[in-house]
Amino acid sequence: GGGAAEAGGAADVGGLRSRPFTRQELRRFEAENDERLAAVEDFELSCPGLGSLVWPGVTDLRGLPGKLDGVVKFGSHEVLLYPDLPEALKPRPGEALNKRFIYTMENVWARDKRTGSYLTDARSVAAFRAQLQRKADKLGIRMLSYSHERGLWRVEVVPS
């Protein structure tokens, strides 16, 4: 597939920000130096308030600058890669951004289902962490960590 990880509902959010390159820098690199884009080390995209993605190792970004908003969609506890492309047109697993990545979701908190209040006691946090692990297992992704103090859930996704 195109690689998807989800922990809640979706929201279409623009304004992607990338590190270490901004979209403007990527466009300039595309125009000036295709060779540099062919091997970007530890490429990271982030959308403040929603999360970040890191593709460990070397990633070929040629052809992506200026198209990132259509290639990567951040939502609340969700990210989609190549959401608008038919399966036949998506890069094969292991190519471009359709390869192993680390997804850090923001604002992932244990809450009381009835009142919506935040739960911070050790028992509730442990139960929520176990719930996140079950969700990861169901999605076929690997849970790396959960920080209830910061509301960050890190998972590893390997598109297949």
Side-chain angles (χ1 to χ4, degrees):
E6 179 181 347
D12 188 52
V13 177
L16 293 178
R17 184 168 57 92
S18 62
R19 294 187 314 254
F21 302 111
T22 65
R23 281 186 306 194
Q24 261 185 336
E25 287 170 327
L26 284 170
R27 284 191 201 103
R28 186 172 65 245
F29 292 144
E30 183 178 56
E32 296 176 13
N33 192 349
D34 220 32
E35 189 177 306
R36 183 169 178 180
L37 284 177
V40 177
E41 188 75 31
D42 298 330
F43 181 62
E44 180 173 354
L45 284 175
S46 66
C47 192
L50 295 176
S52 64
L53 302 171
V54 175
W55 286 266
V58 175
T59 302
D60 185 347
L61 297 177
R62 291 174 293 185
L64 287 177
K67 301 176 189 170
L68 285 172
D69 283 330
V71 171
V72 180
K73 297 279 188 189
F74 283 95
S76 177
H77 306 149
E78 174 181 60
V79 67
L80 300 173
L81 298 183
Y82 304 100
D84 303 324
L85 272 184
E87 203 63 37
L89 296 179
K90 292 179 183 179
R92 290 189 303 242
E95 293 181 353
L97 297 183
N98 196 18
K99 65 178 202 159
R100 180 177 78 91
F101 62 92
I102 307 300
Y103 176 28
T104 303
M105 285 169 259
E106 298 178 18
N107 298 309
V108 180
W109 308 103
R111 298 178 92 153
D112 184 293
K113 287 180 181 169
R114 287 177 293 118
T115 67
S117 60
Y118 295 100
L119 302 172
T120 57
D121 62 283
R123 184 174 163 208
S124 296
V125 169
F128 186 65
R129 183 177 278 115
Q131 179 185 341
L132 292 176
Q133 181 64 62
R134 287 190 302 274
K135 184 110 178 153
D137 293 344
K138 182 179 176 187
L139 292 169
I141 60 180
R142 186 164 71 100
M143 180 166 158
L144 301 176
S145 65
Y146 173 66
S147 166
H148 75 277
E149 296 90 354
R150 298 175 59 208
L152 298 177
W153 183 28
R154 290 183 68 231
V155 296
E156 179 184 49
V157 180
V158 180
S160 55

